Structures are given as structure tokens and as C-alpha cells.
Amino acid sequence: MATRTASGTAARVIQLVGAVFALIEVIYILLILFGANGANAFVQFIKSLAEPLALFWPGLFPIANHDLNVIVNYGLAAIFWVVVAGIIARVVAR
């Protein structure tokens, strides 16, 4: 019984981490789309988190429109983190 509870807790933590990573990507997308000041410390902080978390997605689909490029590439990264975290959480919960 304790093992099942521990694995369930671990699965929830993994899903939470994936959701936080995806949220960082979404915040970065919104900051870019709304034209946030790139010199702002908060924008720089989110950018410093979002770019490494985007892994290989930026540049995978080169799109001429900058806003659409950001939405597609960083949006795919956000979806990736949710899906991968969900898969890992299911494996851990078993």
C-alpha cells in the first residue's frame, strides 16, 4: 500500500514539473506576442528558462512570420512537456 501511495505521489510530482515547464513556455509566448520589453529583467528571466526548455523545437519549422514562428515552435515545446510528463507519470504510477 505504501509503495502505491509513493508511486502515485511521484507521478503527481512529475506531472506538476511538466506543467510548470509548459507554463514557462506559454508565458514566454505571451510575452513575445504582446511585445514585452526585451530589456526587462522578468522577460529576460523567462527567456533564460524558456529557451533551454524548448530543446530542439525552435527552428524546427522555419516560418517567416515571427509571431507565428514563436507560437508554433514554443507551443510545440509546451505540448511536448505535458505529453512526456504524462507518459512518464503513467509509467511511474504502475
Side-chain angles (χ1 to χ4, degrees):
M1 183 75 171
T3 304
R4 185 173 293 257
T5 304
S7 65
T9 301
R12 284 190 295 278
V13 168
I14 291 167
Q15 285 182 320
L16 178 64
V17 169
V20 168
F21 286 0
L23 181 63
I24 290 168
E25 297 295 343
V26 170
I27 291 170
Y28 182 66
I29 290 169
L30 293 174
L31 289 172
I32 296 298
L33 291 179
F34 290 128
N37 180 3
N40 182 284
F42 178 72
V43 175
Q44 287 295 319
F45 174 69
I46 294 297
K47 181 179 180 181
S48 71
L49 295 175
E51 287 182 345
L53 289 175
L55 302 173
F56 53 85
W57 295 104
L60 186 62
F61 301 106
I63 301 171
N65 182 318
H66 180 263
D67 290 345
L68 184 59
N69 189 37
V70 169
I71 291 169
V72 169
N73 291 313
Y74 288 90
L76 285 172
I79 293 168
F80 169 82
W81 283 115
V82 170
V83 169
V84 168
I87 291 169
I88 294 171
R90 283 187 183 168
V91 170
V92 169
R94 287 185 180 185

